Amino acid sequence: MAKKKPEEGPLNLTPDMLHTAARVEDRFNEWIQNRATDHSYQRTVIAYDTYGGTGWVRVLGRLVLTPNGQPAADVHASIRGWKSFVNVPLPNDTAWVRVNDEEHMVTSDRGGIIDTVIPGDFEPGETEIELWTDGSLVDSAAVRIIGEDSTFGIISDIDDTVMVTSLPRPFLAAWNTFVLSEHARSPVAGMAVLYDRITFMRPATPMIYLSTGAWNSALTIKRFLSRNLYPMGPLLLTDWGPTTTRVFRSGKEHKRNTLERLSREFPWMKWLLIGDDGQKDEEVYGEFVENHPQNVAAVAIRQLTVGEAVWAGGRSKRHGRGQGVPWIYAPDGAGLASRLTERGIISTI
């Protein structure tokens, strides 16, 4: 079961079937790519932390052109968000990944994103992959191999769950994303302590962060998590802009599809789903609980403050769904920890 290869994604549509907005984006990317090449931008691979099973690894990365060819900014530097968006994507290009001393060729999608599965034999625990392309430096990323002996994990939202961003506000969303550095973002009180407590009690607990944020912001988010002492784990983000069928990507669909994928990849796992009550998480988690109650240990929802709820467009009117699965509510990490302990979720995992 652990070595079953995950299902492949759908094939890309032919160019004449692409949504008009996607065609416009592709032409713009081609134009900006030519300009970047003229200005001596260098081919670069950014490797993202990822996960896998004992028979496969999911490779995540991005092929881009950057001014200096550096795959990643200094993890200790204060970087303004807009600098993450000046990189030029390299669509439908090739790179190489080294896994277990074996090299494999991988291909980026139309946004420069590499997301593919490499088969192999892996031991549960931590390992590393390396990614590079023609003329680039080599970048590496951590991989968490999840075996069948690991039966409990955490899937956490990011925005307004681990960091206060009030992303639904259009102006502040742009300000937080493009202008502020991660130093200016505030951690949610007690959440890092809660996550650290759980992963300390069970060192084999995989930690996965699931967000509707853009891949461009992955390094900024990673620095924020590191600085605020959150346990590190893969970031499962999405790509901004039009798709082959839509003008804008659906963040709800991204979360829904990712949860479904994880349930197929690790059918024996029970996840603690952590999010907030700012409109979306309760609905998405509720659907997952109803469809896969055997894969959910509990749902923990951080309740927004009155001010955060106003700027977020209100609170979700949904309540806990799914027979036999506990739903825990509290305004911060300390409250969630207390209620999870009372319900036996932490002490019995």
Side-chain angles (χ1 to χ4, degrees):
M1 183 181 296
K3 295 189 177 184
K4 179 182 178 181
K5 183 178 177 180
E7 297 178 13
E8 298 292 337
L11 296 176
N12 289 331
L13 300 178
T14 57
D16 59 317
M17 297 174 64
L18 293 176
H19 191 281
T20 300
R23 293 200 299 269
V24 171
E25 183 189 43
D26 289 344
R27 288 176 186 149
F28 174 77
N29 284 339
E30 183 179 358
W31 176 80
I32 197 88
Q33 182 180 335
N34 292 334
R35 292 292 301 272
T37 301
D38 292 341
H39 286 78
S40 301
Y41 274 47
Q42 301 176 43
R43 293 167 62 83
T44 307
V45 177
I46 302 172
Y48 299 128
D49 291 347
T50 184
Y51 66 91
T54 54
W56 54 274
V57 161
R58 183 180 182 183
V59 176
L60 295 171
R62 195 159 186 248
L63 271 168
V64 293
L65 292 170
T66 62
N68 57 12
Q70 293 296 321
D74 182 356
V75 73
H76 300 294
S78 177
I79 305 297
R80 301 246 176 221
W82 65 267
K83 292 186 177 181
S84 300
F85 288 78
V86 299
N87 298 336
V88 179
L90 285 172
N92 307 312
D93 210 330
T94 56
W96 285 265
V97 57
R98 183 180 293 117
V99 186
N100 271 5
D101 296 324
E102 295 184 359
E103 296 179 5
H104 305 264
M105 188 174 72
V106 293
T107 304
S108 64
D109 66 11
R110 51 183 295 274
I113 300 298
I114 297 168
D115 185 354
T116 190
V117 172
I118 300 295
D121 293 317
F122 304 95
E123 292 295 324
E126 299 290 335
T127 187
E128 186 179 79
I129 60 173
E130 295 180 325
L131 277 166
W132 71 95
T133 190
D134 291 334
S136 78
L137 298 174
V138 176
D139 196 22
S140 61
V143 183
R144 179 61 182 265
I145 302 298
I146 304 172
E148 291 192 36
D149 58 332
S150 180
T151 59
F152 177 89
I154 302 172
I155 298 175
S156 173
D157 178 44
I158 295 176
D159 301 322
D160 292 323
T161 300
V162 301
M163 70 163 70
V164 179
T165 58
S166 301
L167 275 175
R169 286 184 286 175
F171 175 76
L172 188 56
W175 182 265
N176 281 334
T177 301
F178 295 105
V179 181
L180 292 186
S181 76
E182 67 274 7
H183 285 290
R185 304 178 188 216
S186 302
V188 174
M191 295 302 286
V193 175
L194 170 63
Y195 292 6
D196 183 69
R197 176 182 173 186
I198 296 174
T199 54
F200 175 79
M201 293 173 64
R202 290 292 297 267
T205 299
M207 182 80 222
I208 294 177
Y209 295 94
L210 173 58
S211 172
T212 58
W215 280 113
N216 309 66
S217 60
L219 299 179
T220 301
I221 294 173
K222 184 176 179 179
R223 285 191 296 268
F224 173 89
L225 295 173
S226 175
R227 250 188 210 101
N228 290 281
L229 305 180
Y230 282 96
M232 299 309 295
L235 304 175
L236 302 184
L237 308 178
T238 187
D239 197 13
W240 280 10
T243 70
T244 55
T245 58
R246 300 169 59 102
V247 175
F248 295 105
R249 286 170 171 80
S250 168
K252 187 189 299 185
E253 284 301 312
H254 165 65
K255 286 191 171 184
R256 182 181 290 126
N257 293 339
T258 301
L259 289 171
E260 288 292 334
R261 176 172 181 163
L262 290 169
S263 72
R264 295 194 304 268
E265 292 171 333
F266 308 107
W268 63 88
M269 287 287 292
K270 280 188 173 290
W271 299 99
L272 171 59
L273 306 178
I274 305 179
D276 62 81
D277 63 355
Q279 300 291 319
K280 303 296 183 185
D281 288 344
E282 287 179 291
E283 178 181 353
V284 174
Y285 288 168
E287 291 176 2
F288 186 72
V289 168
E290 290 180 338
N291 294 330
H292 305 278
Q294 74 281 2
N295 294 125
V296 183
V299 181
I301 298 295
R302 184 239 165 182
Q303 297 167 306
L304 303 183
T305 65
V306 174
E308 290 168 346
V310 169
W311 291 116
R315 301 182 189 276
S316 170
K317 297 187 180 351
R318 298 179 180 272
H319 300 284
R321 298 156 60 186
Q323 185 176 4
V325 174
W327 285 70
I328 310 297
Y329 289 82
D332 53 31
L336 289 176
S338 176
R339 287 162 176 76
L340 286 168
T341 301
E342 290 172 1
R343 297 294 295 270
I345 305 302
I346 290 181
S347 59
T348 60
I349 58 176

